[in-house]
Structure formats: C-alpha cells, structure tokens
Amino acid sequence: MRIIIHVDLDSFYASCEELRHPELMGKPVVVCMFSARGNDSGAVATANYKAREMGIKSGMPISFARKRASIETAFLKADIQHYRSISQRIMLILESKADKFQQVSVDEAYLDVSSLSGMEKAVDLAKEIKEEILSSEKLTCSIGIGPNKLVSKMATSFRKPDGLTPVGNPKEFLFPMPVKKLHGIGPKTAEMLNEAGVTTIGDLASFDAGKLSGIVGKNRAVLLHQKANGIDDSPVEEKDIKQISRLTTLTDNSSDASFIMESLQTLAEDIHHKLEKRRLLCRTISVMIIDSSIQMHTKSMTTEATDSLDAIRTYASRLLAGLLSEKNVVARRAGIRVSNFEARKDQKSLSDPLFRR
Ligand code: DCP
Ligand code: MG
C-alpha cells in the first residue's frame, strides 16, 4: 500500500506579496498578469482569500476583478522570479522528506512516503512539513494524504487554506462529493453525467459501464470508473536530478564553523543516503549559508567522484571554514549541495538485487 502526500501552498503569489508588503496584511490582494496592451488588460494570477470572498479568482480578466473589488483591494503586478525563488527553497524542504518527490507546479508537489508504513506517521510528517514551511518562509500550505496521487490531491482541495486531510478510506471520502469535483471531469462532462442521473462520485462509481461509454467514450469511461472508485496507479515520477541539496535552520544564528558543522552532519547523512539510493557519485560539493537578510552565500569544490559520507563531511567542513574566513557572514540557515553526478559502476554480484532480477 502506497502513502502519497500532496502539498499545495495557499494563495501562493498573493501570500508572497503579503510577506514583503506587510501593509497588505488583512487586506484583499489580487496578483495580476498584465498584458502588453497596458491598462487593465490581462488576467488575475491569483487572489488572497479575502479577495476571493468578493468573487475574485485566478484566470478572471483584471477588469472584471476591478468591478468586484472593494476600494481597499490591492492590485499588484506578478513578479514570477520572486515567487520562483521562494518556491525553490520550499521544494528543497519537501524533497528532503520524501522517498520519491515530484514537483508539479510552482507551488505544488507529490511526496511518495510509503516507507513510513502507516497513516499516523504520515500525518506527523505532514505536520512537520507545515511547521517547517511556516517557520522558514512564513507561509501556510494545505496537505492531503492518500493511497495515490488522485486521492491525495483531492484531499488537499478538501480543506484549504492551512488544511491537513488524511484519507484512509478513499470511497468513503469520494462517494458523497458532487461528480464535478472529481479531477478530470470538466463542467461539460459533469452536466452530461448529471442529465444521466449521476450526481455524486458514488453514483459514477457504480454507473453502468456501457452507458458511461456512450457519454464519454470507451477509454475515458474505464478511466473515470477507476477514478470514481479512488483507484489511480500513476507513480510519483522523479525527474532526472541535477543536484541534491539539504538546508536546515540553525538553532541560533552563528558564524562559528564548528557549531554550524554540527547541524550539517545530518544533512551530509541525508545526502549520502540519497546518493546511494540513486546509485550516483557526485564530483562537486558546495556549502550554502543563508544570512538573516535571506542572502545566500556558497562555496564549492570539485573533486574525484564520491558518495562517501566521510568525504562529504570532510569537504563540507573545509568549505564552511573557507567560506566563513572569506566572508563576514552570520548564518541563519546552512546547507550542503552536491552536483556534477556520474553513475556508480557497481560490480554485479549475486547479492545485488538488480542483478538477480
Ligand atoms: N496561477 C496563475 N494562473 C492561474 C492559476 C494559478 O498564474 N490561472 C499561479 C498563481 C498561484 C499559483 O499559480 O498563486 C499557484 O496556483 P494554485 O492553483 O495553487 O492557486 P493558489 O496557490 O493561488 O491558491 P490556493 O490556496 O487555492 O492553492
Ligand atoms: Mg496553491
């Protein structure tokens, strides 16, 4: 049985803007993608929850949103690069918690955490993730947990913002919902199904296969039947990685190499395990320091290909000492990154599970 966690940040672009413009806190905020034509031509990228209460939402023309907005509503131009850099730091946190990790958009990712064996442990991990994102980036997210990607994503949408929804029994969770809530069913299909008497996902799950094929075509009918029954075998797909990074927040701000290195020990272990699991050797090792103004400082070295824990620790320690002596920085967060990978050339032996297969 798999356990999949789905994470989605709350009103992401708008929350990023609230953070750097504290005067916006508590006010409706609309982040816009203005088109080149100027004026109010363009679409709403997102709105914070306050602005959503007035019916403003993603994709809506900015001119529509202006008509619905109260006088105190702030309309801001989207700054994608800014959101992306925040997203990258959060994705690093998420990736470090998963057996397998797949980012699916700027603010959304799946984590396969099946090795945790048990929903309770997955819920604990989800709480830890929420706390870590809140303490390091001051952002909230919503999390869904289920046996597959479909159910975990629907669980995330179930309670937002700042939600945490574990689903142990997908049928019990899905069946009472209106059929239009099932991912992959657009308004048109929902309408046709409603006309055929299918109003809930439960109705769809037990709807006659022949009749369903008549409405949506044979291939889609099979897929929709599976989805309605909470079945989804699609894997969490890790992309080919270019680097592995781990970052941690220090218990105290510091410029003391041995104090910072203590925190880096577990990160080095994490990276070593990840390299082993992926059968990779790295040639470049970097140490990162983030100071209290979120400025990142790094120092790197390239060496013979390795996955050894000792080597990673030794190089990290050397790089850290070098970085601190070159720059007068006080670290708030610190991390290690390895890159420049090559595949491990294993001796095939009979005890090697890949060889046995
Ligand atoms: N986005 C966009 N245009 C859209 C939808 C989204 O530019 N039509 C951008 C802005 C969002 C970000 O992508 O902040 C993430 O999309 P989500 O669908 O997750 O929306 P939010 O994070 O804004 O809100 P929610 O709290 O519902 O997740
Ligand atoms: Mg979101």
Side-chain angles (χ1 to χ4, degrees):
M1 174 84 152
R2 293 188 297 157
I3 308 178
I4 310 296
I5 290 182
H6 176 257
V7 181
D8 188 319
L9 297 158
D10 298 325
S11 53
F12 181 51
Y13 291 5
S15 305
C16 294
E17 293 297 348
E18 285 173 18
L19 276 179
R20 63 173 173 179
H21 300 292
E23 69 277 9
L24 295 177
M25 283 292 181
K27 289 190 181 158
V29 175
V30 183
V31 179
C32 305
M33 303 287 275
F34 291 100
S35 77
R37 292 181 195 186
N39 297 328
D40 271 351
S41 164
V44 170
T46 197
N48 68 359
Y49 281 78
K50 201 99 195 206
R52 288 182 203 191
E53 285 168 17
M54 300 181 294
I56 298 173
K57 52 185 178 189
S58 297
M60 174 180 275
I62 297 166
S63 51
F64 271 43
R66 290 259 191 218
K67 283 182 198 136
R68 296 188 172 192
S70 63
I71 191 140
E72 53 163 8
T73 306
F75 284 80
L76 306 172
K77 180 170 171 283
D79 176 357
I80 308 293
Q81 245 182 333
H82 177 62
Y83 314 139
R84 202 166 284 152
S85 70
I86 295 174
S87 159
Q88 277 170 359
R89 295 199 298 267
I90 293 174
M91 294 300 158
L92 277 182
I93 297 178
L94 297 178
E95 199 214 327
S96 75
K97 311 284 184 190
D99 305 331
K100 281 197 275 174
F101 169 78
Q102 181 182 7
Q103 179 175 352
V104 283
S105 79
V106 69
D107 81 330
E108 195 186 337
Y110 290 104
L111 286 67
D112 187 324
V113 297
S114 305
S115 66
L116 286 181
S117 63
M119 184 58 98
E120 259 175 52
K121 286 190 185 141
V123 170
D124 288 344
L125 178 65
K127 287 181 184 160
E128 187 184 309
I129 288 171
K130 286 169 82 78
E131 277 163 24
E132 207 162 321
I133 294 177
L134 189 62
S135 70
S136 60
E137 300 292 340
K138 309 273 178 289
L139 289 172
T140 63
C141 64
S142 297
I143 296 187
I145 313 176
N148 55 48
K149 286 160 87 172
L150 170 78
V151 174
S152 65
K153 187 174 165 78
M154 290 187 63
T156 301
S157 315
F158 185 73
R159 204 168 294 130
K160 238 181 175 307
D162 203 15
L164 169 52
T165 308
V167 175
N169 183 338
K171 290 185 180 177
E172 201 175 272
F173 172 68
L174 295 174
F175 283 5
M177 289 190 195
V179 76
K180 67 168 188 233
K181 291 258 180 181
L182 188 65
H183 282 284
I185 293 201
K188 261 196 194 150
T189 310
E191 204 181 303
M192 288 192 289
L193 289 171
N194 285 341
E195 278 166 16
V198 175
T199 53
T200 65
I201 296 178
D203 294 341
L204 179 60
S206 55
F207 190 52
D208 179 77
K211 285 186 190 162
L212 186 58
S213 296
I215 298 173
V216 297
K218 191 157 188 272
N219 289 343
R220 207 159 159 237
V222 173
L223 193 70
L224 286 186
H225 247 157
Q226 286 182 344
K227 283 188 167 188
N229 281 288
I231 298 166
D232 168 26
D233 294 328
S234 63
V236 172
E237 287 178 86
E238 290 204 279
K239 62 173 193 281
D240 267 353
I241 48 169
K242 300 264 187 302
Q243 57 174 57
I244 301 171
S245 319
R246 293 290 180 268
L247 266 174
T248 187
T249 304
L250 303 172
T251 47
D252 289 300
N253 290 358
S254 171
S255 52
D256 179 84
S258 58
F259 174 78
I260 299 172
M261 197 55 216
E262 269 174 40
S263 299
L264 295 187
Q265 299 292 348
T266 26
L267 306 191
E269 276 168 34
D270 259 21
I271 287 176
H272 162 69
H273 287 314
K274 194 95 185 176
L275 286 171
E276 279 204 317
K277 208 160 74 183
R278 290 214 165 215
R279 295 170 171 266
L280 291 173
L281 304 175
C282 66
R283 298 189 60 233
T284 301
I285 299 180
S286 316
V287 156
M288 306 172 273
I289 280 182
I290 297 176
D291 64 24
S292 48
S293 52
I294 345 183
Q295 182 86 25
M296 168 110 74
H297 310 267
T298 62
K299 190 170 171 67
S300 308
M301 65 189 284
T302 296
T303 157
E304 76 282 6
T306 183
D307 65 354
S308 133
L309 177 57
D310 265 355
I312 298 169
R313 279 185 176 151
T314 309
Y315 294 134
S317 170
R318 222 180 277 169
L319 287 166
L320 180 64
L323 183 58
L324 291 168
S325 69
E326 283 162 23
K327 289 190 183 175
N328 188 20
V329 285
V330 179
R332 195 179 104 75
R333 308 183 72 205
I336 304 176
R337 177 171 63 219
V338 296
S339 56
N340 212 346
F341 295 131
E342 59 184 62
R344 201 167 81 192
K345 292 182 198 72
D346 289 327
Q347 290 277 318
K348 288 202 166 68
S349 79
L350 288 177
S351 62
D352 184 335
L354 283 178
F355 185 68
R356 274 207 307 266
R357 215 163 14 163

